[in-house]
Each structure stands twice: as C-alpha cells, then as structure tokens.
Amino acid sequence: MTEGKPQTETVSAFTLFLQSFATGSNIRKRTRTVFQLGINVVCGWMAKELTRKFFFLFAATLVFLIFITVRTPRIYRSIPKPRWAAKICPFCISEETITPLNNTKHLLISAFMDQRVNGFDIRIIGLFRRDSIQPLYCLFCCEGHLSTTTPTNILQHSDNFGFPFVTTDVMCQIPQDCTPSHVTLLTQTEPDRQRIFNQTWLPIRNKKSEGNEGGKLQFNFTVCISNLFGDYNNVLQYAQTLEMYRMLGVDRVVIYNTSCGPDLNRLLQSYVQEGFVEMVPWPIDKHLNPSSGWLFSKYGGDVHYFGQLTTLNECIYRSMDRSRYVLLNDIDEIIMPYQHNNLMSLMNMLQQQHPKTGVFLIENHIFPKKPFEESKRGPLPRWRGVSGFNILEHIYREEPDRKIYHPHKLIIQPKSVEQTSVHEVLKMFGQMFKVPPDICRIIHSPISTPTQRPVEQLHVDTRLWDFKDQLLPAVTKVLGRVGLLSSEPFKV
C-alpha cells in the first residue's frame, strides 16, 4: 500500500488548498499553501512516473491556480475609501482668462502667490461689481486634498472712473500643512459637497520653487499693451513700434486681445511664433458690456476701456517673477530714451542715481499727424498695400501744458508695485521718480488728436530717424514674412 501514498498526499494537499481558498485567508498564507502544494504534487507525480502529457497538463493547471490566488485579493480585499475631496480637488480647472465666480456677479482673472503684504499669501485679481460685494472665503487644493476655508480681504482699486465694475484684489492666507496648487473662492465657510463639486479652480502662479528664489530673470524688459479690440488694423504702426522696441532692448511684448483686423492678426501671430509677442485672449465682451471710453458718465458701459485697468495689473503680476522691468503703455506710444540708445543704459543710469526707486514716470508728448513736407525733409519709404500709417512722418511734437494735469506712462520694477492705474501707481513699495523729458519721453503717435495746433507752436523732433537705417529693413522683413507686401515693398 506504500505505493499509493504519494497519490493520497496529493489529494490531501489539494483539499488543503481548496479549503484555504474558500476561507479567504490572506494572500501570503494562500501563496505559501499553493507553493507547498506544488512541491508535494510534483514530487508525488514524479515518484509515480506519470506520463509527460499529464505532467504538463497539471503544471498548466497549477500556474492558473496560482494566478487566480494572487489576483483575487487585489479585487476583493477591503480597500479604505478615499476622502471625497480627492475626487474633486481640483475637479474643474479654469482654462479661460476670465472666469465667472459662482453665485456672484463677479469675474475672476488669475491667482498669484504674493507674500509682500503681511498676513497674506495669495492675491486673486478680479473684476467685481461694486454694488454686490459680499464676504468670500478661499479654499485651496493642497496636493490632492482640500484645505479648510480661510477668510479674505477684498480690496477694490480706487480708480473706477464711475463704472459699475472695478478691478479688485482678493487677499487670503494659506492654511497650515497645505502646499497649494489651485484656489477657488466660496460664499460660505462650510459649503456642501455639491457646491464644491461645481467650483472652478484657478492655478496659483508665481510659486517659488525650492532653491530658485532670487534666480536669474528670464527678461530684462517687458511691454504690457492693453487692450486690442474692434477691427483695429493699423499694421504698419504696429510693426514699426514692435521693431522699435526690439531695437531698444525689449524682450517680450504682452498684448491683451479682444479682437483685431485680419492683417494685424496675421502680423501678431508671426511675432507670437518667434516668442517676441505673448497674446493673452481677453474676451471681456462675452461677459460684460465693455466701454470704449474712459469715463462712465460720457461713454457708459460696464467697465472702463475694455477692462484696461485689470489687464495692466494682471500683466504686472504675470511678469513679476520673470522680468526686471515692465513698461506700461499703449501701442501708439514708444518710451524713448533721448540720451541713450537703449533702455538698459537708461535704466542703469536712473537706478544708480535713484537706488530705492521702483517706479519711473515718463512724460507723454503727442506727435500729431501733420502734412509731411518731403521737399524740406526728404522722402520716406512707402510700404505699398500695408494698412496703417507711417510713424516716421510724425516729426512735430506738442509741448505739454504743465500748468494743468499732464499724463505720464510708467517704467516699473514689478516687485515694487501692488496696484496700478493707467497714468500712476495706486499702491507701491519704495519710491517714485519723474524722469526729465530731455532724458526720456513718450513718442505718442495717435491716429487723431482732439485739437490741432498751428505748426508754429510745434517742435520738430526726429528722434525716431536716428534708428531709421535699422528700422526700415526690419519692418520690411517682417511684413514680407507674413505676405503683406506687394512685389515692390517700398520705394524712396
């Protein structure tokens, strides 16, 4: 009867395996059981010298059973339920430049890390309706889980020019034990799950990576242009101004675009592809009735000049951790040094003389469009078939009346500014300096001017002509690149 012992051990081992499988023992115990079974069975069958056919059949069965044994616990074993927050944090991330805030009349633009104001970590820039301000609370996504809510401080900018909507900063603090990636605003301190599920989250920008504080900035000079709207198609002036800024040392031009003419869009997309221009979509007309003027009592609408104040502030914070200086001006304005050939030489001198200054005011000088007298000044190139006008023809400069308010535009260190308006800074850190016009002034070439002065009251100013030898071929090259020139690009 000893010859039957291996077979008996095989049956016993197999029975033991089935019992172990049925009782749902843990994975390690069942794995050991299966391997022990394999050893006993193989030895028993080999001892019995079964045929090769049955041996391979059994081996295949054994491998299948081991697979089932190991696989089963992963499916059926008890798994702790994750917190519901992990499923919704962040559930819906805004991919728009303008994001409506749920259960309010307000619009959110962007969120930035900003720890310059004591007691606060986050600054959310928005467009708020002035008559509907209500308490709000910050909620953070902290590496996949929700934080507790924190109260906010809502700061309306002082300049609104009478319009119902005003640029607004929402300040809040990050709770302890939270490394936030996104933030949203709530109208309740303890919202229900459904309300949070429906929230749209803003990514937090300007977060300092570890070891990168004080690193080299990407740009020296950024120009912030606001706002492009309507069917504006002044291609020639845009090309000349952008190329002029490139020669002066500007690294990046940021343009907030609601709409523009087809030729201008073609030109700007070319600059975007080479990395010189950054186009920020600005569909303010999809959310509000924007005014094309600056004063509510005269022009009406919901917000000043297509949201110009909001875009200027957004551009400052967008550039804060990547640009040494930011120029705030319109596309028909060039901040022009008169004693230096580039902006860096100008700012090095000014900064050396005024080391604690972070805001420099540049005086505006209008160059009205007057009949250009080629017989006296010599011929200028004419780019055939290109829309817009030639700023090189604007050589007559108005002298401002300094007895009344006269506007300036700005060169700033972005880290020195908290809030800005169009012609002055509203809140800042550090000092401000008005740059004398013989050192630097704005060459402002508008399409039209409200009043026309006699030529005798104007000054001839051909500062732009100092760059003519470089400017002309640069403009011709970019216009040709986008196919906006005729076969004869220009003649003299």
Side-chain angles (χ1 to χ4, degrees):
M1 298 295 294
T2 57
E3 293 179 354
K5 188 174 182 181
Q7 185 176 0
T8 302
E9 290 177 351
T10 301
V11 174
S12 300
F14 189 73
T15 303
L16 177 61
F17 164 72
L18 292 177
Q19 291 175 346
S20 173
F21 185 81
T23 56
S25 57
N26 62 51
I27 184 171
R28 293 182 179 178
K29 183 176 179 181
R30 277 189 278 167
T31 302
R32 288 197 301 268
T33 302
V34 170
F35 279 106
Q36 184 62 47
L37 169 64
I39 293 172
N40 292 341
V41 170
V42 171
C43 292
W45 280 70
M46 289 183 68
K48 196 69 176 174
E49 296 182 352
L50 294 177
T51 64
R52 184 180 300 273
K53 177 179 179 180
F54 286 103
F55 175 80
F56 284 112
L57 177 62
F58 180 79
T61 305
L62 181 62
V63 170
F64 175 75
L65 292 174
I66 292 174
F67 174 79
I68 293 297
T69 304
V70 175
R71 181 73 175 172
T72 300
R74 295 183 183 178
I75 300 175
Y76 295 104
R77 64 184 174 183
S78 176
I79 302 176
K81 292 183 178 180
R83 287 183 290 178
W84 60 274
K87 297 181 180 180
I88 63 167
C89 176
F91 181 78
C92 178
I93 302 174
S94 176
E95 297 181 353
E96 305 297 328
T97 316
I98 304 173
T99 304
L101 177 59
N102 291 350
N103 306 307
T104 73
K105 299 178 180 179
H106 311 318
L107 302 173
L108 302 181
I109 311 303
S110 47
F112 298 93
M113 185 79 75
D114 183 12
Q115 298 176 318
R116 297 173 300 165
V117 180
N118 187 35
F120 297 102
D121 304 302
I122 298 294
R123 182 185 301 268
I124 300 173
I125 297 177
L127 258 173
F128 280 30
R129 188 171 176 91
R130 292 192 292 139
D131 61 3
S132 301
I133 303 299
Q134 62 197 103
L136 295 172
Y137 306 89
C138 280
L139 182 68
F140 295 94
C141 179
C142 312
E143 297 181 330
H145 67 87
L146 291 180
S147 72
T148 56
T149 57
T150 59
T152 66
N153 188 18
I154 300 175
L155 305 174
Q156 298 183 56
H157 289 212
S158 56
D159 273 5
N160 56 61
F161 302 106
F163 288 93
F165 282 81
V166 61
T167 304
T168 303
D169 296 336
V170 181
M171 310 289 292
C172 59
Q173 196 171 40
I174 300 171
Q176 293 183 351
D177 302 322
C178 174
T179 303
S181 60
H182 298 77
V183 64
T184 190
L185 289 174
L186 304 172
T187 57
Q188 299 177 352
T189 55
E190 297 181 2
D192 55 35
R193 297 185 182 185
Q194 186 61 39
R195 188 179 296 272
I196 294 181
F197 184 83
N198 293 329
Q199 286 297 118
T200 302
W201 297 80
L202 298 178
I204 298 173
R205 308 175 67 171
N206 293 356
K207 293 187 297 181
K208 295 179 176 61
S209 57
E210 196 170 316
N212 193 35
E213 298 85 351
K216 186 177 179 180
L217 296 174
Q218 185 179 2
F219 306 126
N220 284 319
F221 293 95
T222 295
V223 176
C224 293
I225 303 293
S226 62
N227 300 51
L228 192 55
F229 59 88
D231 297 323
Y232 190 84
N233 205 40
N234 192 343
V235 173
L236 185 54
Q237 183 177 19
Y238 248 90
Q240 290 175 323
T241 302
L242 290 174
E243 291 301 325
M244 189 68 251
Y245 267 131
R246 198 202 296 266
M247 281 185 269
L248 290 174
V250 169
D251 307 289
R252 172 65 60 88
V253 178
V254 182
I255 300 174
Y256 290 78
N257 181 33
T258 301
S259 62
C260 65
D263 292 344
L264 182 55
N265 183 64
R266 211 155 112 201
L267 175 74
L268 293 177
Q269 290 304 322
S270 173
Y271 281 113
V272 169
Q273 290 176 6
E274 66 174 89
F276 185 58
V277 166
E278 179 179 355
M279 293 281 280
V280 180
W282 187 247
I284 189 67
D285 54 341
K286 301 295 190 297
H287 302 275
L288 300 175
N289 174 29
S291 175
S292 58
W294 69 276
L295 190 63
F296 175 73
S297 60
K298 184 175 180 180
Y299 299 98
D302 289 329
V303 64
H304 162 273
Y305 206 60
F306 274 72
Q308 180 186 33
L309 295 173
T310 306
T311 57
L312 289 176
N313 281 273
E314 206 276 346
C315 193
I316 290 175
Y317 283 88
R318 178 182 291 261
S319 307
M320 191 163 291
D321 281 359
R322 67 182 189 183
S323 189
R324 184 178 177 186
Y325 295 102
V326 169
L327 285 65
L328 304 176
N329 59 270
D330 297 329
I331 194 60
D332 59 359
E333 300 168 333
I334 298 174
I335 295 180
M336 176 62 73
Y338 272 67
Q339 296 182 9
H340 304 82
N341 288 327
N342 56 72
L343 290 167
M344 183 57 76
S345 299
L346 167 70
M347 295 313 299
N348 285 342
M349 182 201 73
L350 291 175
Q351 212 71 76
Q352 185 177 12
Q353 295 175 355
H354 310 277
K356 296 182 180 180
T357 298
V359 175
F360 298 87
L361 301 179
I362 312 299
E363 191 174 77
N364 183 52
H365 288 248
I366 293 178
F367 285 62
K369 189 174 183 180
K370 287 286 183 180
F372 185 78
E373 302 175 37
E374 289 190 352
S375 59
K376 295 182 179 180
R377 304 295 172 187
L380 282 176
R382 284 173 171 75
W383 288 268
R384 295 183 181 277
V386 180
S387 62
F389 61 81
N390 188 350
I391 62 174
L392 292 172
E393 294 182 358
H394 291 228
I395 63 170
Y396 297 103
R397 172 172 53 84
E398 294 182 0
E399 188 68 22
D401 185 357
R402 297 182 179 87
K403 297 177 183 178
I404 60 175
Y405 173 77
H406 187 66
H408 293 72
K409 290 298 174 73
L410 311 170
I411 300 177
I412 65 167
Q413 292 179 355
K415 291 184 183 296
S416 298
V417 175
E418 188 179 351
Q419 295 178 355
T420 192
S421 185
V422 179
H423 301 293
E424 60 187 359
V425 168
L426 302 178
K427 288 185 178 182
M428 61 177 292
F429 309 94
Q431 299 176 3
M432 181 172 58
F433 176 69
K434 286 187 178 182
V435 180
D438 62 323
I439 295 177
C440 181
R441 66 169 65 105
I442 294 174
I443 297 178
H444 184 188
S445 304
I447 294 177
S448 61
T449 52
T451 59
Q452 297 289 336
R453 297 186 186 182
V455 174
E456 295 76 21
Q457 296 181 12
L458 302 176
H459 303 276
V460 174
D461 187 333
T462 57
R463 172 60 172 155
L464 281 174
W465 289 18
D466 294 339
F467 300 88
K468 188 169 62 171
D469 291 343
Q470 295 173 273
L471 183 62
L472 298 185
V475 171
T476 300
K477 181 179 178 180
V478 69
L479 292 176
R481 185 175 65 204
V482 296
L484 293 176
L485 287 180
S486 63
S487 58
E488 185 182 4
F490 66 88
K491 68 175 183 178
V492 176

